[in-house]
Amino acid sequence: MYKQDQPKLLGQSWSAGAFYTGFIASQIVKEVKNEGGKLSTKDFEEYRPIEQEPLISDDIKGFTITTAPPPSLGGAVVIGALKFFSGYSQPCSTVHDILSLHRQVEAMIHTFTTRMSMSDPAFGVVNGILSQRKL
């Protein structure tokens, strides 16, 4: 979709029905097909969201973190990084120093490595880390 489409988009009803069966869905399908992808308006019409329980961390420095469950793995990464940082009394300084940068990089390495062993529960076995919706 391009800027010239914005007035048409802004005039649309923004209900779920309008998104899944209206102009917005047809424009998304058109753009995906233009790029060689496979998507149809029928895919939008037949889509039904799946409500899932949130991913909940255990105690992290006195906080419980609640976030999106798989198949979105962003929440798992956030929880993993926070757990990694919780092992330090002061995980990052207020200035940009090498130690803080090193800890941030290591947190990302550990959490993204763990993320690679997780999957969408609808298509595979979820790693034991998430089996009880807790990290």
Side-chain angles (χ1 to χ4, degrees), residues 2-79:
Y2 300 95
K3 286 186 179 183
Q4 65 265 24
D5 294 327
Q6 286 179 348
K8 205 181 283 185
L9 285 173
L10 293 173
Q12 296 294 307
S13 166
W14 287 94
S15 68
F19 178 82
Y20 291 108
T21 61
F23 174 76
I24 297 169
S26 64
Q27 285 298 108
I28 292 171
V29 168
K30 178 181 163 189
E31 293 296 325
V32 169
K33 285 184 175 180
N34 285 345
E35 295 298 321
K38 295 181 179 181
L39 188 66
S40 71
T41 53
K42 185 178 177 185
D43 294 324
F44 276 89
E45 292 166 4
E46 293 180 352
Y47 175 77
R48 298 294 175 265
I50 300 168
E51 191 173 320
Q52 298 181 2
E53 293 296 315
L55 180 62
I56 303 171
S57 72
D58 52 4
D59 182 62
I60 300 176
K61 295 261 185 178
F63 293 93
T64 299
I65 309 299
T66 303
T67 186
S72 168
L73 296 175
V77 169
V78 168
I79 290 173

Side-chain angles (χ1 to χ4, degrees), residues 85 88-95 97 99-104:
F85 288 131
Y88 299 101
S89 59
Q90 187 176 359
C92 296
S93 69
T94 56
V95 295
D97 65 339
L99 181 58
S100 294
L101 182 60
H102 171 72
R103 287 178 179 166
Q104 290 172 18

Side-chain angles (χ1 to χ4, degrees), residues 80-121:
L82 290 172
K83 283 192 156 201
F84 181 89
F85 288 131
S86 72
Y88 299 101
S89 59
Q90 187 176 359
C92 296
S93 69
T94 56
V95 295
H96 297 291
D97 65 339
I98 296 300
L99 181 58
S100 294
L101 182 60
H102 171 72
R103 287 178 179 166
Q104 290 172 18
V105 169
E106 288 298 320
M108 286 188 265
I109 289 170
H110 288 288
T111 55
F112 280 100
T113 301
T114 302
R115 179 180 180 251
M116 291 180 67
S117 65
M118 299 178 200
S119 65
D120 182 341

